[in-house]
Amino acid sequence: MTPALLTIACLLAVTLGYAATCAVSPFGDCRKCHGLGHLLKTDRKGRPKRGKDCRRCHATGKRIRLGRWLYNRASRTYHAGTR
């Protein structure tokens, strides 16, 4: 197998794997709060305590994956153009 063909096969496998992940689980953990829904703060003794609600995910702890966001956007554009 040539290196170019191997590279193409690997890229195709990664792309199809990500598409399957977006189809099965369209939401992932928020990158800012790591899925907690709020930020962690520490008190003066160094113990963790709950901080403010996460502004990025609106305290849900979830975000929509990029691939699913692109699919939703393309789907809405297609449906708006065919009506």
Side-chain angles (χ1 to χ4, degrees), residues 19-81:
T21 300
C22 289
V24 173
S25 176
F27 295 100
D29 287 341
C30 177
R31 292 186 197 110
K32 188 171 184 179
C33 66
H34 304 289
L36 292 175
H38 55 83
L39 299 176
L40 287 178
K41 296 174 89 177
T42 55
D43 60 5
R44 295 190 316 184
K45 293 184 179 181
R47 293 182 298 221
K49 69 176 198 175
R50 183 186 168 102
K52 290 185 176 182
D53 288 342
C54 181
R55 292 171 56 185
R56 181 179 286 179
C57 66
H58 304 290
T60 62
K62 296 294 179 186
R63 64 170 177 86
I64 193 160
R65 294 185 194 274
L66 178 64
R68 186 60 182 215
W69 183 84
L70 289 172
Y71 173 77
N72 289 347
R73 180 64 57 105
S75 178
R76 280 190 217 114
T77 302
Y78 175 76
H79 287 301

